[in-house]
Amino acid sequence: MQNKSKGFATISDVAKYAKVGKTSVSRYLNGEQDKLSDPLREKIYQAIEHLDFRPNHSARMLKAGHSKLIGLLLADVTNPYSIDVLQGIEHVCRREGYMLMVCNTDNQKELQDSYLTLLEAHRVDGIIVNTAGMAQKQITNLKRISCPLVLVDRIDTSLGFDTVGLDNEAAVKEVCTHLQTKAYQSILVVTESIAIDPRQARVDAIKAFTRENNDITCEIIEIEKMSVDLLIKVIQDFIDSHPNRKKAIFTTNGVAMMSTAKALKHLNMHIGSNIGLVSIDDPEWAQLFEGGITVMRQPTRLIGQTACERLLARVQGNNEPAQHIKLKAELVIRQST
């Protein structure tokens, strides 16, 4: 049995045990073994084995000018959208030899600020940000970050960062055109807070579509915490106020869709016959709920992969002007319309 050293051995310990210089040990560890004689390599190998020496890769990376760490700020790690984006980012990190540090801000601006400070302290090579709505303080904090930064699902192009997200205008136009071809006349738009850029963009796109198409009207309800009880009342009022029109509900994300589906069930409304339902986002349960819910499926993993590839390009020295990448959604028609 080998006599392993207790505690963490250092390069100096290896050099002392092997009776060689620290430079020789460094060359051995850095892949320059061809510069060492066979007996010297064997001495160092035996010392490393005896002392159970583990190289400090973090220190070596920092000395080389990079940490091989990528930071990720997620607004809500419980959101299925966030999970899929995370998987896309993680895939690229794993492929390219980077480690991912994930921070869940829970939609709190103060947590975003503290996590940015934490990631800077760990000297990450770059940061991908999927944030809550940003006040001036948060914008200032982002701009002071010295490493490359990419925004996901946040479309403010004035900040000078690369952005990656959904083409919201095209997605909304396509799904509204689908409702129009199915002769829906009145749309209730249900959204969480429109302080988040993509939701505001989706609401604006629906308003623009109904302005240009007089055969369809829309009403918009913004609910901060997606209260099902409040939704029940809102939906009942919407139904009562449009007695002779074919009606549909458009939800701006999967969270709003789930709450709306619960409210409709409570009202004993059969989705697809009594009222239509469409949404941005395609959680797994959407295809099972009463014959399935029509959705615009976001390319969530591709969004994550694209954001990470864009960030790594910056890390590796790409200095071209900021890019604002919009990816296409896929219309998936189910029985709800």
Side-chain angles (χ1 to χ4, degrees):
M1 180 181 293
Q2 291 178 318
N3 180 26
K4 300 294 184 182
S5 171
K6 294 181 179 180
F8 294 103
T10 66
I11 287 180
S12 295
D13 293 331
V14 173
K16 183 177 180 181
Y17 186 89
K19 298 179 180 179
V20 301
K22 288 172 60 177
T23 301
S24 296
V25 177
S26 295
R27 284 178 175 172
Y28 182 95
L29 296 173
N30 290 327
E32 301 178 50
Q33 297 180 18
D34 58 321
K35 296 181 180 179
L36 306 173
S37 67
D38 290 343
L40 200 55
R41 285 200 300 268
E42 182 61 24
K43 281 184 179 182
I44 295 170
Y45 171 77
Q46 292 298 336
I48 288 172
E49 285 293 295
H50 178 82
L51 298 172
D52 196 22
F53 173 74
R54 306 294 172 85
N56 187 334
H57 290 291
S58 295
R60 290 168 65 193
M61 289 298 101
L62 289 173
K63 187 176 180 181
H66 50 85
S67 65
K68 300 295 281 187
L69 292 174
I70 295 296
L72 171 61
L73 291 183
L74 284 177
D76 179 9
V77 78
T78 66
N79 190 314
Y81 171 90
S82 300
I83 295 170
D84 282 349
V85 169
L86 167 60
Q87 289 176 334
I89 294 169
E90 189 178 39
H91 172 77
V92 175
C93 284
R94 190 164 55 245
R95 184 187 74 201
E96 301 298 329
Y98 283 80
M99 288 190 64
L100 187 62
M101 295 182 64
V102 182
C103 302
N104 175 34
T105 69
D106 200 25
N107 286 308
Q108 297 180 41
K109 298 182 180 69
E110 295 75 16
L111 270 179
Q112 176 184 320
D113 293 336
S114 63
Y115 278 137
L116 278 174
T117 301
L118 176 69
L119 291 173
E120 270 200 305
H122 279 81
R123 296 177 67 177
V124 295
D125 288 337
I127 303 174
I128 299 171
V129 180
N130 168 248
T131 65
M134 289 185 287
Q136 187 57 49
K137 179 184 176 185
Q138 280 69 45
I139 292 172
T140 300
N141 286 341
L142 285 180
K143 286 187 171 181
R144 70 172 174 75
I145 298 295
S146 57
C147 66
L149 191 149
V150 173
L151 301 181
V152 168
D153 201 32
R154 301 295 180 260
I155 54 179
D156 189 336
T157 60
S158 67
L159 300 178
F161 301 123
D162 292 319
T163 63
V164 182
L166 184 70
D167 188 336
N168 290 291
E169 294 78 10
V172 168
K173 184 175 181 179
E174 185 172 0
V175 76
C176 284
T177 300
H178 165 70
L179 291 175
Q180 189 179 43
T181 62
K182 295 295 183 177
Y184 286 98
Q185 300 162 297
S186 295
I187 302 174
L188 174 65
V189 181
V190 177
T191 182
E192 294 182 278
S193 168
I194 56 175
I196 305 297
D197 290 345
R199 296 175 201 156
Q200 180 68 66
R202 292 164 195 173
V203 168
D204 290 345
I206 294 170
K207 289 179 180 178
F209 186 90
T210 55
R211 281 197 303 268
E212 295 169 3
N213 296 270
N214 295 328
D215 55 329
I216 296 182
T217 62
C218 76
E219 297 177 19
I220 296 163
I221 178 69
E222 180 182 351
I223 302 178
E224 187 70 34
K225 297 296 183 181
M226 275 298 127
S227 163
V228 173
D229 290 339
L230 178 55
L231 268 173
I232 290 169
K233 181 180 185 306
V234 167
I235 292 171
Q236 188 63 65
D237 289 346
F238 172 69
I239 292 168
D240 293 343
S241 61
H242 300 85
N244 300 313
R245 294 172 69 86
K246 190 174 181 181
K247 297 170 283 293
I249 300 176
F250 185 122
T251 59
T252 58
N253 66 6
V255 174
M257 175 170 53
M258 172 64 87
S259 297
T260 299
K262 289 179 180 177
L264 289 171
K265 186 174 177 118
H266 186 276
L267 289 166
N268 294 317
M269 299 293 295
H270 188 269
I271 297 173
S273 56
N274 299 127
I275 194 166
L277 178 60
V278 297
S279 185
I280 306 287
D281 281 344
D282 187 23
E284 289 185 2
W285 60 264
Q287 58 188 299
L288 305 174
F289 194 96
E290 295 190 20
I293 297 172
T294 296
V295 298
M296 292 302 297
R297 178 185 292 158
Q298 296 200 63
T300 44
R301 292 196 185 192
L302 181 59
I303 288 172
Q305 290 176 18
T306 304
C308 195
E309 287 168 351
R310 190 77 211 132
L311 184 70
L312 294 184
R314 295 297 190 188
V315 169
Q316 292 159 12
N318 186 312
N319 292 316
E320 66 185 0
Q323 292 190 0
H324 308 296
I325 302 169
K326 295 183 178 181
L327 302 178
K328 298 292 185 183
E330 175 190 359
L331 176 62
V332 181
I333 300 172
R334 300 189 180 111
Q335 292 184 25
S336 70
T337 57

